[in-house]
Structures are given as C-alpha cells and as structure tokens.
Amino acid sequence: MKVLRTIIISTFGNQHRQVGNPSPHRQNPNGNGTPSKSPSQLQDATQTTLLGQHQFSNRYGTTAVSPKYIAYVDHAIGNIQILDIVSCKTLVTIHAHATRIVAMAFNETGDYIATASENGRYIHIFHTESGKIAHEFYRGSSSAFIYDIVFRYNYVIVSANSGTIHIFKFNLTEFESSSTTSEIVHRIKRAVSAERAIATVKVKDKKIRHHVHITPTTDAQMIKKLTPYRLFDILVISYIGQFYRFSFDVSKSTPTTKLIE
C-alpha cells in the first residue's frame, strides 16, 4: 500500500502536521474487517490519519513551498526550518534574522531561499541544503514591513509598506565561485557591501497589502526586438483589487522600469 503524506501548516494557529493513509486493518463497528467510512470519506476516497505534529510560533503565517522543500518558521525567533517533502524530515535549521520572519520565498528549483524579517532593512539569501548564507541585499535605512518576496529568474522582488518595490539581482555564479571562502570573510564582505536594488517601482496606497510577481513579457512586439528573458513584466495586485503592470527592461547596462497599466 502506498502511503500518501501531506504537510499541513496553519497560517493562523501554530501547527505543522504530517498526515497519511490510515491503517488498512482498522475495522468498522460491524467487525467485517472493512475500514469504516464517514459520509465525508465516502465523497473523498483518500483517507488520512495524523502521523506527527510539531508546535511552533507563526505569528505572520510565514511559509514557502518549492518542488522539493517546505520552509516554515521555527519556535526560536528568527529561525526557519527546511523540510524535505519526500522524507518529511527537517533538512536544516537556519538562523536567518534577529527578529521574526515575515516573508520568504524559494527560487524555482528550491536550491535557494530569500528571507525578510520585521526589521525589513535586509533581505538574506540562503543555500537550502547547507543553510549557509549566499547573499545579502540592502533594502533601505528605514524599517518597513515586508509584504511579499518573489524569487524567480535570479531576481528577488520585494514589496513593502513603504510603497516602493525593490528589484535585486542574485548573481549565482559569483556565490558559487566564492563558496570556498571562509564564513568570517563572507560576513565581513556582506556587512561592508550588501547590494542595493538595481531598480525600483512605486505604487499608490502603500498601506494596503499587495503581492508581486515577475514574468517574461508577453508583448509580442517587444519579444521581436529583444531576446527572451531580457524584458519582464512586474505584476502587482493589492488586497482591494488594484492592479499594476510595470515593464522591467534588463537589456541595457542600467535596468529600467516603466508603468504600463
């Protein structure tokens, strides 16, 4: 019998649960050896039973999911745990920030994860399997609450209640070529030269929570002029339904942004 495992992370409570198929030997009240079914189970053939449960404080309901891993906040403030989806076991615990984690996102492959804390000044990038910090981005000198992080195409897009959306470039080659450098040297370099955004865009009603997304442009005319993945759309939607679309052009030495609609 194949056991199905599902990870349930509550965004309101503080529970992380693993569930799987119940034992095939459970008998119904009639004693005929056939598993009993409730009316809801008759509608859904997949039955589940609790295998394990972990308690942790998740004030902001912060989680991230990739094809391989799930990330969720640990009981210790500023910590995150990376859970392997296949084995349902913790791969690594990362001390990401000194304050509570408010947002995080994997890249497409799940090899790296971006995190932000209540402080909102710095965005950290960690290597998922090793837990080592790969990069640090500097959002700004003033604190801000981070609404959302998107990590795609080696760009990290960060929206905050300041009304400014920051776009950072993650240089994967640079990190891999310096991976043998000592951790102390890495920390010194990050403290001195945390990278700033390569571009920004502004939205109205900054106090209204909004989410962001980046995708290669769908403008057929622009695709003819530029090779794919040199022009992107930055999509922003707020909780009250406001929608923004920005053009993000990286074909030039200095990336540019422009409000389209």
Side-chain angles (χ1 to χ4, degrees):
M1 180 188 69
K2 181 183 291 186
V3 174
L4 302 178
R5 289 188 173 181
T6 305
I7 310 301
I8 301 175
I9 298 180
S10 170
T11 58
F12 297 100
N14 301 318
Q15 295 182 348
H16 152 218
R17 296 181 176 181
Q18 303 175 26
V19 297
N21 284 349
S23 169
H25 303 296
R26 182 190 299 172
Q27 294 186 348
N28 66 11
N30 297 327
N32 59 11
T34 303
S36 59
K37 295 182 179 181
S38 66
S40 61
Q41 289 173 330
L42 291 174
Q43 297 175 1
D44 184 356
T46 302
Q47 302 178 31
T48 59
T49 187
L50 183 64
L51 296 179
Q53 176 174 309
H54 301 283
Q55 297 283 345
F56 58 91
S57 177
N58 194 2
R59 175 182 295 179
Y60 301 106
T62 310
T63 60
V65 180
S66 79
K68 300 184 290 186
Y69 309 114
I70 290 178
Y72 58 92
V73 297
D74 192 12
H75 63 277
I77 292 177
N79 280 14
I80 61 173
Q81 291 197 27
I82 307 297
L83 188 77
D84 184 278
I85 291 178
V86 176
S87 67
C88 292
K89 294 181 179 180
T90 299
L91 180 68
V92 65
T93 299
I94 301 172
H95 181 62
H97 296 270
T99 55
R100 294 181 188 274
I101 309 297
V102 298
M104 54 186 172
F106 287 103
N107 68 342
E108 299 97 319
T109 62
D111 294 326
Y112 295 90
I113 186 169
T115 65
S117 72
E118 291 173 320
N119 182 283
R121 293 189 178 95
Y122 290 92
I123 309 300
H124 294 165
I125 310 293
F126 295 94
H127 186 256
T128 305
E129 291 189 359
S130 68
K132 292 183 178 180
I133 191 163
H135 214 75
E136 184 175 60
F137 295 114
Y138 180 67
R139 188 206 58 81
S141 58
S142 59
S143 297
F145 186 86
I146 305 301
Y147 287 144
D148 196 17
I149 297 179
V150 172
F151 192 176
R152 292 176 62 81
Y153 308 107
N154 285 337
Y155 292 99
V156 178
I157 320 295
V158 179
S159 68
N161 66 354
S162 62
T164 301
I165 295 174
H166 292 75
I167 306 170
F168 302 93
K169 172 68 173 178
F170 175 50
N171 192 331
L172 178 59
T173 304
E174 178 182 326
F175 165 68
E176 291 181 338
S177 64
S178 61
S179 59
T180 57
T181 307
S182 70
E183 180 65 19
I184 294 178
V185 173
H186 273 307
R187 290 180 180 274
I188 294 174
K189 286 183 177 180
R190 292 195 306 272
V192 174
S193 59
E195 287 192 29
R196 286 164 170 75
I198 61 172
T200 60
V201 297
K202 288 278 191 178
V203 297
K204 298 178 181 179
D205 298 322
K206 60 186 179 182
K207 297 302 181 182
I208 299 174
R209 193 180 185 101
H210 48 271
H211 290 287
V212 294
H213 185 67
I214 180 173
T215 181
T217 185
T218 56
D219 190 325
Q221 295 300 319
M222 292 305 299
I223 290 176
K224 292 179 181 179
K225 298 178 182 179
L226 298 172
T227 57
Y229 299 172
R230 301 292 289 172
L231 186 70
F232 296 87
D233 287 341
I234 304 295
L235 309 177
V236 185
I237 187 167
S238 76
Y239 271 26
I240 61 172
Q242 294 174 322
F243 177 77
Y244 301 86
R245 179 184 172 210
F246 297 91
S247 173
F248 175 44
D249 187 349
V250 298
S251 64
K252 305 171 184 177
S253 57
T254 302
T256 58
T257 58
K258 180 182 178 181
L259 177 63
I260 300 175
E261 56 187 61

